[in-house]
DNA sequence: GTTATAGTGAAACGAACGGTACAGAACATT
DNA sequence: AATGTTCTGTACCGTTCGTTTCACTATAAC
């Protein structure tokens, strides 16, 4: 039928995603996106329609390749105390591992919350969906942990979900401002989980 | 010596502050600032030197007129449980009172955390100073509350400071995304304080 | 090989940006 | 009233923005 696309859409979207992650939607210029992807703007427009179209593709990729794997442990059947602790430990490790000038510091969607999402309804909905997903995953694992521990404070579940979601989001918010404090917030979250649910006896065989 | 300034600098700075609060530093154009302040750009440049100079003045005003009054109760001598609860109640009331499209939703400096502060060192320092001020004020009031309650969990102070600061910042982050959840986070913060410290007996005479 | 289709690159579009130059208006000083 | 300084409005500066146009090239189908 005609000439085939010479670039790989996935890698282009991921390169663009990192630019948006770093600079935000408004802050990322077409020149930045051309440089990062190695693709001319006319080809980007041909493939994605507009800057916004490319951004939407980048957000979709972010949800699929960054957020979803992170929450998977919490969402698994039988998830509970260990999965909660692992979630916060892994997130803290990721925050600490990145160099201070990494474009990937923080969370693309948390960054959107005070940017695009303030005055753009579709963007607001994406951020809200992220928050809901996070809260649901935490709630699921908290319920599992309470069940395993025969915890009698399940009336506190809403409080605990909000506390842990809060610590996660604040840590992402602070990732570029104070990386040490960002990590400390995630440590605090894991410590809270440990305090709420008694440590199980060490496994024997 | 010559003609006097015909506008009031304070009101101009506060008008500009609300524009930056709503749109962010990059999002606010000179045309927006002219319209909101009623002052021509040449006068703004004469008085403030640059867009950034006006922004810095707006941030200084924000710290003086918005943040400082909010934290004053927490910082007072003898502040404790009631001041902590009042802080979160008042903040929640402020979040709920504003219309959804108010330019003042959320926190100017929290908004900066993912914007300017990501790549501008002076802005980063201002946001970090805000965070340390908030944490210090919470710590002071938490210490007072622990003292009054003869609380034996003072080893948990760091955790509690981080939890409450986290809930405050997350609430500001979510103010434009989900006002109800933003208020719920602040309610949760007040509930945490109530749970940590036993309610004092009702005052008698 | 011809043809139709589709990706690519350079150049340029109008709009909006932050910032400035300058003439003139306004006021304190003399 | 004359003078000198400062504030203000218009108009424009060069730059950058997202987007589009168009000629060109490459390739699949025939």
């Amino acid at each position: 039928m005609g000439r085939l696309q010479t670039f790989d859409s996935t890698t282009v979207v991921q390169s663009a995603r990192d630019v948006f992650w770093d600079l935000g939607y408004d802050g990322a210029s077409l020149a930045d996106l051309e440089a990062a992807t190695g693709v001319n703007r006319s080809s980007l427009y041909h493939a994605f329609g507009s800057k916004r179209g490319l951004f939407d593709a980048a957000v979709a990729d972010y949800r699929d390749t960054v957020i979803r794997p992170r929450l998977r442990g919490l969402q698994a059947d039988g998830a509970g105390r260990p999965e909660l602790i692992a979630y916060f430990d892994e997130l803290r490790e990721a925050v600490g591992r990145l160099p201070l000038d990494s474009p990937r510091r923080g969370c693309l969607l948390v960054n959107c919350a005070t940017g695009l999402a303030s005055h753009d309804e579709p963007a607001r909905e994406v951020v809200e969906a992220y928050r809901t997903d996070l809260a649901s995953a935490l709630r699921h694992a908290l319920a599992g942990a309470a069940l395993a521990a025969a915890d009698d404070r399940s009336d506190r579940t809403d409080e605990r979900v909000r506390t842990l979601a809060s610590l996660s989001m604040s840590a992402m918010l602070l990732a570029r401002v104070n990386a040490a404090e960002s990590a400390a917030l995630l440590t605090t979250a894991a410590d809270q989980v440990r305090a709420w649910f008694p440590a199980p006896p060490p496994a024997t065989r």
Side-chain angles (χ1 to χ4, degrees), chain A:
Chain A
M1 287 287 277
R3 185 177 175 180
L4 299 180
Q5 202 176 44
T6 58
F7 58 84
D8 177 53
S9 289
T10 302
T11 61
V12 163
V13 167
Q14 294 186 349
S15 299
R17 177 200 67 184
D18 287 355
V19 174
F20 287 125
W21 198 340
D22 188 24
L23 304 175
Y25 178 75
D26 286 321
S29 71
L30 262 294
D32 294 331
L33 295 165
E34 282 181 305
T37 61
V39 173
N40 189 277
R41 61 184 63 192
S42 71
S43 301
L44 293 176
Y45 271 81
H46 183 83
F48 301 101
S50 64
K51 182 186 180 183
R52 184 56 183 266
L54 177 56
F55 177 76
D56 291 341
V59 169
D61 177 87
Y62 183 79
R63 298 186 67 170
D64 288 345
T65 67
V66 179
I67 294 182
R68 191 168 312 187
R70 271 253 126 74
L71 296 185
R72 188 161 296 153
L74 297 176
Q75 294 164 332
D77 284 349
R81 184 184 194 273
E83 285 75 17
L84 284 164
I85 294 172
Y87 168 77
F88 290 110
D89 283 350
E90 287 164 15
L91 191 53
R92 174 170 46 77
E93 208 264 327
V95 167
R97 185 178 50 233
L98 293 167
L100 279 171
D101 59 348
S102 167
R104 304 210 207 180
R105 276 210 170 262
C107 169
L108 173 57
L109 295 180
V110 167
N111 296 352
C112 278
T114 60
L116 249 200
S118 292
H119 296 88
D120 180 279
E121 178 59 20
R124 206 210 103 253
E125 288 170 11
V126 170
V127 174
E128 171 64 5
Y130 157 75
R131 189 197 65 75
T132 315
D133 287 349
L134 173 62
S136 299
L138 290 170
R139 181 179 301 276
H140 174 77
L142 277 168
L147 193 69
D151 179 68
D152 59 344
R153 303 302 291 275
S154 58
D155 59 316
R156 285 270 166 97
T157 298
D158 284 352
E159 269 188 28
R160 289 171 174 176
V161 168
R162 290 201 167 99
T163 299
L164 295 184
S166 225
L167 287 162
S168 294
M169 293 186 291
S170 304
M172 297 300 99
L173 180 74
L174 291 182
R176 304 277 185 97
V177 175
N178 185 332
E181 183 65 18
S182 176
L185 293 181
L186 296 167
T187 300
T188 293
D191 288 344
Q192 295 272 31
V193 172
R194 292 191 189 92
W196 291 333
F197 306 106
T204 56
R205 45 172 285 115

